[in-house]
Amino acid sequence: MSEAVTLRAPAFRREPGKLWIVPPAALLALLFFYPLALIARQAFLDDSGVANVAEVIRVLHSRFFLNALINTVSISVAATAGCLVVGLVLALILAFVPFPGSGFIARLIDTFIALPTFLVTLAFTFLYGSAGMLNAGLMETFSLPLPPVDFLYSAWGVILAEVTVYTPFILRPLLAAFSLVDRGQIEAASVLGARPFRIVRQVVLPAAIPALIAGGSLCLLLTVNEFGIVLFIGAKGVITLPLLIYGKAIQESAYQVACIIAVVNIALSLGLFGLYRFAAGRLGA
């Protein structure tokens, strides 16, 4: 009998430990689920609490929403593709082309992760803006009446800024993946007469695929939700979903329309986040 009591006692003492789930769950409900529920309620119900399906359909079929959705997807896909290409090239150079200061360059590129996105767009404005250094130099050198470089205030300017900001999210996992590549295989392929491009394609790239997929999914998620770069550049006619939500809620006070678009943006973000977690889990990145 005493042994049975002794065995049950630890189990009884461990029961109160389950209550530790209450504080984080309550905090999560207060800071995340409650605001999300308010957004969903404002999106699908009118002021009297009745479902307003007609308004949801009207917004989802509106030209301003479809244009913003197309801009968001096209810019994020193009920026992600640019990040993949630039990140892969930089990672190959830093990992397999020895030169003095390669480690410093890698750490310097990593610092872009810590910088606010508006600093990059501000630097681009000083360099490529209408009154920037490049245009000023070209106009003075060739006596041009107008700035010849005007890509910054377009979708291409947004894409270039996003590639600059988010390439380190590709570069870092690629460098980690390349550090695990067997250098003996590369040397053996080189001795057998394989050209550098073939070595990269058949030896190096298979090891980089998990990092490319996971990093690309993360970049796609981040660029879909990018707000500061698009707002600061002020590209004419380039309205993305986050910028449209801001305009409808803050500038037009159309809160229901903003909440409907926000629900779509949240659903898109959660889908991309699920893709990122799936890729990172399945591929071991």
Side-chain angles (χ1 to χ4, degrees):
M1 184 67 179
S2 60
E3 293 180 357
V5 174
T6 304
L7 291 176
R8 291 194 186 99
F12 176 77
R13 285 196 297 269
R14 283 196 298 267
E15 286 297 324
K18 296 181 179 179
L19 297 178
W20 283 106
I21 194 176
V22 175
L27 187 64
L28 189 63
L30 179 64
L31 299 180
F32 179 73
F33 290 109
Y34 179 65
L36 188 62
L38 291 179
I39 293 174
R41 185 184 186 281
Q42 184 71 24
F44 297 109
L45 302 178
D46 57 19
D47 296 335
S48 60
V50 180
N52 195 355
V53 181
E55 179 66 9
V56 175
I57 295 175
R58 184 191 71 82
V59 172
L60 296 182
H61 284 81
S62 62
R63 176 56 57 185
F64 62 82
F65 169 76
L66 295 177
N67 286 339
L69 181 62
I70 292 172
N71 285 335
T72 301
V73 174
S74 59
I75 289 174
S76 60
V77 169
T80 301
C83 289
L84 290 172
V85 173
V86 175
L88 179 60
V89 172
L90 288 176
L92 288 172
I93 294 174
L94 293 174
F96 300 108
V97 182
F99 63 91
S102 59
F104 171 76
I105 295 298
R107 288 190 295 270
L108 185 63
I109 295 174
D110 280 345
T111 59
F112 278 91
I113 298 176
L115 296 178
T117 57
F118 76 87
L119 287 181
V120 175
T121 56
L122 183 62
F124 276 22
T125 302
F126 285 132
L127 291 174
Y128 311 118
S130 300
M133 296 173 58
L134 180 60
N135 276 315
L138 291 175
M139 292 173 66
E140 182 178 356
T141 302
F142 299 101
S143 301
L144 300 175
L146 297 174
V149 180
D150 60 351
F151 73 91
L152 182 62
Y153 306 108
S154 65
W156 291 110
V158 176
I159 292 170
L160 180 60
E162 291 185 353
V163 169
T164 303
V165 170
Y166 293 115
T167 292
F169 290 90
I170 300 290
L171 179 63
R172 179 46 56 191
L174 278 177
L175 290 176
F178 289 160
S179 66
L180 302 177
V181 174
D182 186 3
R183 301 305 174 101
Q185 294 182 359
I186 298 177
E187 294 176 0
S190 179
V191 170
L192 293 174
R195 295 183 177 273
F197 179 77
R198 185 176 181 182
I199 294 175
V200 170
R201 180 168 54 87
Q202 295 185 350
V203 179
V204 177
L205 281 184
I209 289 177
L212 286 173
I213 295 178
S217 301
L218 180 59
C219 281
L220 193 62
L221 172 63
L222 294 173
T223 52
V224 161
N225 294 301
E226 179 56 46
F227 173 74
I229 290 176
V230 184
L231 178 65
F232 200 91
I233 286 181
K236 184 178 180 180
V238 180
I239 305 296
T240 59
L241 289 179
L243 199 61
L244 182 61
I245 295 169
Y246 170 81
K248 292 296 180 182
I250 305 302
Q251 298 176 341
E252 301 180 21
S253 297
Y255 297 113
Q256 185 176 19
V257 176
C259 289
I260 293 172
I261 302 171
V263 169
V264 175
N265 204 133
I266 291 170
L268 182 60
S269 300
L270 291 177
L272 292 174
F273 180 72
L275 175 64
Y276 165 70
R277 293 297 302 269
F278 174 80
R282 289 290 299 270
L283 299 172

